[in-house]
Amino acid sequence: MCIARSLQEFATVLRNLEDERIRMIENASEVLITPLEKFRKEQIGAAKEAKKKYDKETEKYCGILEKHLNLSSKKKESQLQEADSQVDLVRQHFYEVSLEYVFKVQEVQERKMFEFVEPLLAFLQGLFTFYHHGYELAKDFSDFKTELTISIQNTRNRFEGTRSEVESLMKKMKENPLEHKTISPYTMEGYLYVQEKRHFGTSWVKHYCTYQRDSKQITMVPFDQKSGGKGGEDESVTLKSCTRRKTDSIEKRFCFDVEAVDRPGVITMQALSEEDRRLWMEAMDGREPVYNSNKDSQSEGTAQLDSIGFSIIKKCIHAVETRGINEQGLYRIVGVNSRVQKLLSVLMDPKTASETETDICAEWEIKTITSALKTYLRMLPGPLMMYQFQRSFIKAAKLENQESRVSEIHSLVHRLPEKNRQMLQLLMNHLANVANNHKQNLMTVANLGVVFGPTLLRPQEETVAAIMDIKFQNIVIEILIENHEKIFNTVPDMPLTNAQLHLSRKKSSDSKPPSCSERPLTLFHAMQSAEKQEQRNSIINSSLESVVSSNANSILNSSSSLQPNMNSSDPDLDVLKPARPKSLTPFRKAKALYACKAEHDSELSFTAGTVFDNVHPSQEPGWLEGTLNGKTGLIPENYVEFL
């Protein structure tokens, strides 16, 4: 308030002073500029005209006089007298013009003494008036200036006196932050990262969240770190339940799940620390997760591959195939979001979901039903074709030979969990029926691949490489639709291929979502002892014997029983990976298209534009080996281009 009052007083003084200055400048035009301009035009201008006339008469007189002096004395007397009288007339006129010019010059000199000095005096008088006005303003301002000076000094003294106390309070707050928390109308408030599902995966968006226990209202305000402020519209939901997220069920730490009364699905949030998560869960009366792996039911609002999930998908497919198989733009045209969410809430209600014979009412539009089917698949904890197989499917789609693509995808599908494979078969059979009617609904296999690729095969993280692989996601779905009978109704040939032997080296944590830094376990094969060599040979022989002696069905069954060994971290299995002869591959330079951060010592960290030397294929599929600043390591194959 003191600062505001001071600024008002300062503004008043400066405004009055500026007004007087403007008035002085405007007055100067009247009292100084205009009179001087008038004197110049009227007096000095007239003197200049008189001078021009005088100069002309002078030239005329001198010319006649010179001509008269050159007359011969032999002329007649009458002629000489006439010439003399003419010269006298010109001399008389010259004399009169000279007097007029001298008179005008003398008049200008006299007028200059008062018509020039007087305007200057008037201007100085206005200048003195301006300064006198400033003096009066300073005199009037003197009392306030004195009062303000005293107030400033007192404020400085109080600051010096209380600074030590404030510093002491700061130290106490640092030592015991919980004892000095700010009083807030909310039960809990602070920053949380909220998981949001996108077409290309999931992202974590920073929000400022508040919670009131009485009303159970959670308010989430998106926060943009770059702009330092609000980054979107507020969202308020009513809390239904809060559950701590299991550590082994998600990559992020400090997570918990929130279910809302007025919003379907689960909201996954990440706190800033373990203590912060504990405080949020205490405020929301959170509970620990239930460890029951045999439970085959789903909680309300959660999408799962259980009996209810299969029932929902079957109902949607039945409704589409009986009522809208020929509708144009099927699965491409989306329904109204509010209607889609309402239909999902009806289908996911445990009371109605158990009624398997109940069809979806005809009041629901086909585009709402198709959007509900796609939304339910996106609401699953992971994509139907699973994160850990995403890169394998993409690599299979990149194979040059069509037969190899189908064969590899055939094998990968049969490595999916039983429920995932059953749901995928159900969906592919339906999409094949949709594609068979493409002349009516205009949805070809390629169009269906574009629609379902990002849903069924989305990556864990939104990276530039993931965006580049979208077209290969679509190709995988196209292959599944076109070859659904062979892929799902026949058992794939399952010899110990290079790809399977590579998977045998994966650790039991293979469920970790793949990233650009997914690393091979070893880079170089060290020399092994004879004992380990014999152990490897026994492993190879036993594996080959099991392959040769078993039929197709036993191969499929034995593959599931051998899965623990496939996921084991035994480094001795590295020998099963055939080495690529590097001598046949030229060493070339390569340039990084994107940035990548190494997670292990065998990898190289780099930024976009980095140039590598001695780049050649490594012994790991999907990886290259190169040199950067004297260090040799692994580089993701799809992150570079050769120069």
Side-chain angles (χ1 to χ4, degrees):
M1 292 174 63
C2 292
I3 293 174
R5 185 186 169 204
S6 302
L7 293 178
Q8 288 177 353
E9 292 290 337
F10 296 161
T12 301
V13 171
L14 292 174
R15 184 166 55 249
N16 290 336
L17 196 63
E18 182 66 11
D19 290 344
E20 188 63 27
R21 188 185 69 84
I22 293 174
R23 193 178 300 112
M24 177 194 68
I25 293 174
E26 291 176 349
N27 191 44
S29 177
E30 298 178 3
V31 301
L32 179 64
I33 305 300
T34 302
L36 291 179
E37 187 69 19
K38 183 179 179 181
F39 177 77
R40 184 186 67 80
K41 289 182 179 179
E42 294 181 357
Q43 301 302 324
I44 298 179
K48 288 182 177 180
E49 290 296 326
K51 185 177 185 303
K52 289 181 181 179
K53 187 176 180 181
Y54 168 76
D55 291 340
K56 185 177 180 181
E57 290 298 327
T58 301
E59 183 179 0
K60 181 179 178 181
Y61 171 69
C62 292
I64 291 177
L65 184 61
E66 184 178 355
K67 184 178 179 181
H68 179 69
L69 293 175
N70 290 330
L71 286 176
S72 174
S73 57
K74 296 180 179 180
K75 292 280 186 179
K76 294 181 180 180
E77 186 65 24
S78 59
Q79 292 179 344
L80 293 175
Q81 289 180 357
E82 183 180 357
D84 291 340
S85 61
Q86 185 178 2
V87 170
D88 291 339
L89 289 174
V90 173
R91 183 185 294 110
Q92 182 64 31
H93 185 68
F94 170 72
Y95 179 71
E96 292 175 358
V97 171
S98 300
L99 289 177
E100 290 176 0
Y101 173 59
V102 172
F103 171 76
K104 195 60 183 176
V105 171
Q106 189 269 342
E107 183 182 10
V108 170
Q109 293 291 344
E110 294 295 328
R111 282 181 174 274
K112 185 171 62 175
M113 295 180 183
F114 57 90
E115 290 192 3
F116 176 71
V117 177
E118 188 177 28
L120 289 176
L121 179 61
F123 172 73
L124 288 176
Q125 183 62 35
L127 191 62
F128 295 150
T129 302
F130 166 72
Y131 284 118
H132 178 73
H133 183 73
Y135 170 76
E136 293 294 332
L137 286 175
K139 189 176 180 181
D140 295 340
F141 186 71
S142 178
D143 293 339
F144 177 76
K145 182 181 71 173
T146 303
E147 178 185 349
L148 184 61
T149 303
I150 296 173
S151 177
I152 292 172
Q153 187 61 41
N154 292 337
T155 303
R156 180 181 285 107
N157 294 336
R158 283 195 299 271
F159 167 74
E160 297 294 339
T162 58
R163 182 178 182 183
S164 59
E165 298 179 9
V166 175
E167 187 175 1
S168 176
L169 177 61
M170 179 188 68
K171 292 180 180 178
K172 291 180 180 179
M173 293 178 70
K174 285 182 178 180
E175 294 172 357
N176 300 301
L178 297 179
E179 295 181 5
H180 300 85
K181 289 191 68 175
T182 305
I183 299 176
S184 171
Y186 302 107
T187 307
M188 187 66 186
E189 62 180 323
Y191 289 104
L192 292 172
Y193 286 85
V194 180
Q195 186 184 44
E196 295 185 358
K197 293 186 177 181
R198 306 287 177 84
H199 291 294
F200 306 113
T202 58
S203 62
W204 295 83
V205 182
K206 189 175 184 180
H207 288 70
Y208 189 81
C209 302
T210 60
Y211 174 68
Q212 285 184 323
R213 179 172 288 170
D214 296 337
S215 60
K216 290 193 173 184
Q217 283 290 315
I218 305 174
T219 302
M220 298 176 289
V221 182
F223 183 83
D224 188 1
Q225 191 67 42
K226 293 182 179 179
S227 63
K230 184 176 178 181
E233 295 297 326
D234 301 2
E235 181 181 5
S236 295
V237 296
T238 303
L239 176 68
K240 179 180 179 182
S241 65
C242 174
T243 309
R244 183 180 65 83
R245 189 68 180 263
K246 296 180 184 179
T247 306
D248 57 356
S249 65
I250 193 169
E251 263 201 343
K252 301 285 186 179
R253 304 168 64 198
F254 320 130
C255 293
F256 58 95
D257 291 337
V258 171
E259 291 186 59
V261 176
D262 46 1
R263 172 175 167 175
V266 176
I267 306 173
T268 301
M269 298 180 172
Q270 182 186 26
L272 302 182
S273 64
E274 186 64 41
E275 177 65 18
D276 190 39
R277 177 171 68 173
R278 183 185 66 79
L279 294 175
W280 277 102
M281 291 190 63
E282 286 181 358
M284 297 182 181
D285 299 322
R287 62 177 185 268
E288 290 295 312
V290 178
Y291 295 91
N292 186 4
S293 58
N294 297 323
K295 186 175 180 182
D296 194 26
S297 63
Q298 75 178 46
S299 59
E300 183 180 352
T302 305
Q304 298 290 342
L305 290 178
D306 55 8
S307 58
I308 296 179
F310 275 87
S311 174
I312 292 172
I313 298 299
K314 287 178 180 178
K315 288 178 181 180
C316 293
I317 290 176
H318 178 72
V320 171
E321 293 189 347
T322 55
R323 293 198 282 122
I325 193 70
N326 293 326
E327 189 166 317
Q328 290 189 359
L330 194 64
Y331 286 106
R332 181 178 58 82
I333 300 175
V334 297
V336 179
N337 185 56
S338 59
R339 296 277 295 167
V340 173
Q341 296 298 333
K342 186 175 180 180
L343 175 59
L344 279 175
S345 63
V346 172
L347 294 174
M348 295 172 68
D349 187 355
K351 297 178 182 178
T352 60
S354 59
E355 303 174 4
T356 55
E357 301 299 327
T358 304
D359 293 334
I360 298 176
C361 298
E363 65 180 66
W364 298 100
E365 296 178 297
I366 293 298
K367 64 180 181 181
T368 304
I369 298 173
T370 56
S371 296
L373 184 147
K374 292 187 294 183
T375 303
Y376 189 86
L377 293 175
R378 285 194 291 266
M379 288 170 58
L380 293 172
L384 192 59
M385 298 172 73
M386 304 187 68
Y387 288 129
Q388 58 261 45
F389 294 110
Q390 196 263 348
R391 290 190 65 185
S392 299
F393 277 111
I394 296 299
K395 290 178 182 177
K398 292 180 178 180
L399 295 175
E400 295 182 1
N401 185 276
Q402 176 68 13
E403 185 178 348
S404 300
R405 294 183 193 174
V406 176
S407 176
E408 186 65 23
I409 292 175
H410 191 184
S411 300
L412 290 171
V413 167
H414 282 267
R415 289 170 54 202
L416 292 172
E418 184 68 23
K419 290 185 178 180
N420 293 62
R421 186 168 65 253
Q422 291 176 358
M423 179 65 79
L424 188 62
Q425 180 178 4
L426 180 66
L427 187 61
M428 290 302 118
N429 290 339
H430 168 61
L431 295 182
N433 291 336
V434 174
N436 290 337
N437 293 271
H438 69 274
K439 292 184 179 179
Q440 292 78 25
N441 56 39
L442 306 181
M443 293 303 293
T444 61
V445 173
N447 291 340
L448 292 172
V450 172
V451 173
F452 281 91
T455 299
L456 302 180
L457 207 58
R458 67 179 184 271
Q460 178 76 9
E461 298 177 353
E462 292 185 46
T463 61
V464 177
I467 296 175
M468 302 284 287
D469 287 338
I470 290 177
K471 61 179 181 180
F472 297 106
Q473 296 175 5
N474 305 343
I475 292 174
V476 173
I477 304 303
E478 293 176 25
I479 292 175
L480 289 175
I481 296 174
E482 292 174 341
N483 303 273
H484 67 283
E485 293 184 357
K486 173 185 176 182
I487 290 176
F488 293 102
N489 297 330
T490 63
V491 179
D493 297 331
M494 298 185 65
L496 288 178
T497 62
N498 290 345
Q500 290 173 314
L501 293 176
H502 173 65
L503 287 171
S504 69
R505 301 173 55 209
K506 298 289 184 181
K507 293 182 180 291
S508 59
S509 59
D510 194 31
S511 59
K512 179 180 178 182
S515 62
C516 71
S517 57
E518 183 180 11
R519 69 182 184 93
L521 294 179
T522 59
L523 177 60
F524 303 103
H525 292 275
M527 295 299 294
Q528 304 293 334
S529 62
E531 180 180 355
K532 290 191 176 182
Q533 185 67 35
E534 292 176 1
Q535 184 179 357
R536 288 197 194 91
N537 293 336
S538 64
I539 293 174
I540 297 174
N541 293 333
S542 61
S543 301
L544 292 175
E545 287 173 3
S546 64
V547 171
V548 173
S549 62
S550 60
N551 56 24
N553 292 329
S554 63
I555 291 175
L556 180 61
N557 296 330
S558 63
S559 65
S560 60
S561 64
L562 290 174
Q563 189 63 30
N565 292 332
M566 298 291 285
N567 290 334
S568 67
S569 57
D570 188 358
D572 295 336
L573 295 180
D574 286 347
V575 71
L576 301 179
K577 174 71 183 177
R580 183 182 303 180
K582 296 183 180 179
S583 60
L584 300 179
T585 306
F587 287 70
R588 301 168 61 186
K589 286 182 176 289
K591 180 180 178 182
L593 298 174
Y594 321 108
C596 184
K597 182 178 181 181
E599 293 185 0
H600 304 279
D601 294 338
S602 60
E603 302 169 10
L604 295 177
S605 294
F606 52 86
T607 59
T610 302
V611 177
F612 305 94
D613 296 322
N614 301 329
V615 179
H616 56 277
S618 73
Q619 298 185 7
E620 304 300 333
W623 292 82
L624 300 172
E625 187 175 330
T627 303
L628 177 62
N629 298 330
K631 180 182 177 181
T632 301
L634 294 179
I635 310 163
E637 187 175 13
N638 58 347
Y639 272 56
V640 297
E641 63 177 358
F642 284 100
L643 301 178

